[in-house]
Structures are given as C-alpha cells and as structure tokens.
C-alpha cells in the first residue's frame, strides 16, 4: 500500500489496518484517530505470520489521549520512522496478544532515522520490541511502563557517544 499527501481518518475505529505479510509506505500524510483507537493497527489475517514492513516519512499522527499511534496485534513488524510527529497523545506503540490466534512472541522492530520522538512504548508479555536509534535520533519517554513486555531492547548507532555520569550519595 502506498499513501502520499493524504489524510487517513477514523472516528470509532483505527484509521488504517494493515495485515500481516504486507507492506505500507505512508508519505507526507496525516493519520487522525479519536478516543482509544489507533492510527495504524497491524494484525494478522488468516494466521499469516509473515513480517509486515511500514515506512512512515513526513507523517503526523493526531489522536485521542488514550490512543496509540500504532497497535500491533499478533504480528511481526518492522516500523521505520523518519520525520514523524505525534499530536494529542502519548502512546507511540502498544502490542496486544489475542489468544485465539495462536502466535507466540511477536517481534517489533521500531527504527528511528534522524528522528526525535517523545512518548510511551508498551506491550504485552508476548512482545519482543527492539528500538533502534540511528542518524542522531533521540527518544524520550517510558519504555515498558506497564512492566509487561516479554523483551525490550534498545540499540544506538553512533560515531560519538557521551555517557552520563552516575553518582550515588
């Protein structure tokens, strides 16, 4: 699916649903949702557990306070952020395990490329989430704030790295 210069909007459901094994390139667009819905929901159709790839470039998510930019349900997905803006909510990514589907350990690769991003990343106990910061990206927010993610990893690509000084009193 290719989306360019568009507004994807929903009131009572997710603005976009992407099914396992597919790909989406969304460019220069707004994704608008309300309430506790998601901007993008990635889910399986017919137990297709193939990897989904989503490329988001120059995208603005506008949402309800309780919603998430992206919700992943029983899917393996690679999500690439470049110049993505979040407005009106705090949850970047959330995962949901649906016991009727039978998939185990959904893996999510969240790649930030030259991106500043602030918000929460949370998941269920079947999720493996890898947050990759590249090309000067920075992230501020809570990781696994519900303390349920099966595994959370952060990788930083760098040429110069300054580590904070940790003091104890």
């Amino acid at each position: 699916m290719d989306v360019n210069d568009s507004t994807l909007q929903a009131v009572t459901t997710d603005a976009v649903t992407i099914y396992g094994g597919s790909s989406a390139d969304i460019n220069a667009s707004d994704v608008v949702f309300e309430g506790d819905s998601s901007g993008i929901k990635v889910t399986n159709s017919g137990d297709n557990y193939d990897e989904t790839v989503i490329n988001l470039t120059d995208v603005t998510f506008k949402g309800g306070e309780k919603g998430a930019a992206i919700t992943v349900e029983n899917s393996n997905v690679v999500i690439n952020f470049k110049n993505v803006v979040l407005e009106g909510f705090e949850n970047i990514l959330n995962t949901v395990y649906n016991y009727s589907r039978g998939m185990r350990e959904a893996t999510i690769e969240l790649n930030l490329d030259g991106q500043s991003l602030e918000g929460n990343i949370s998941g269920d106990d079947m999720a493996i989430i890898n947050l990759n910061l590249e090309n000067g990206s920075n992230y501020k927010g809570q990781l696994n704030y519900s303390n349920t993610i099966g595994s959370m990893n952060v990788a930083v690509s760098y040429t110069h790295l300054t580590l904070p000084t940790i003091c104890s009193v």
Side-chain angles (χ1 to χ4, degrees), residues 78-90:
V78 174
I79 306 164
N80 299 306
F81 276 47
K82 188 167 188 172
N83 199 27
V84 172
V85 176
L86 308 178
E87 293 180 5
F89 61 99
E90 297 178 354

Side-chain angles (χ1 to χ4, degrees), residues 36-82:
D36 59 359
S37 298
S38 296
I40 297 173
K41 182 177 182 179
V42 183
T43 189
N44 282 309
S45 175
D47 294 330
N48 180 351
Y49 302 122
D50 293 338
E51 185 176 80
T52 300
V53 177
I54 302 171
N55 297 307
L56 302 167
T57 305
D58 299 319
V59 172
T60 299
F61 284 90
K62 300 175 183 177
E65 187 176 311
K66 296 181 182 180
I70 300 172
T71 295
V72 177
E73 180 182 77
N74 295 12
S75 297
N76 294 316
V77 62
V78 174
I79 306 164
N80 299 306
F81 276 47
K82 188 167 188 172

Side-chain angles (χ1 to χ4, degrees), residues 112-158:
L112 307 183
D113 182 0
Q115 171 80 49
S116 292
L117 198 59
E118 185 171 344
N120 302 325
I121 295 174
S122 65
D124 60 84
D125 61 350
M126 296 296 184
I128 298 170
I129 300 175
N130 299 307
L131 173 62
N132 302 301
L133 306 175
E134 301 172 351
N135 298 322
S137 292
N138 63 69
Y139 168 78
K140 179 181 178 183
Q142 295 180 357
L143 299 171
N144 195 21
Y145 66 90
S146 58
N147 200 29
T148 56
I149 297 175
S151 176
M152 180 76 214
N153 305 297
V154 178
V156 179
S157 147
Y158 61 89

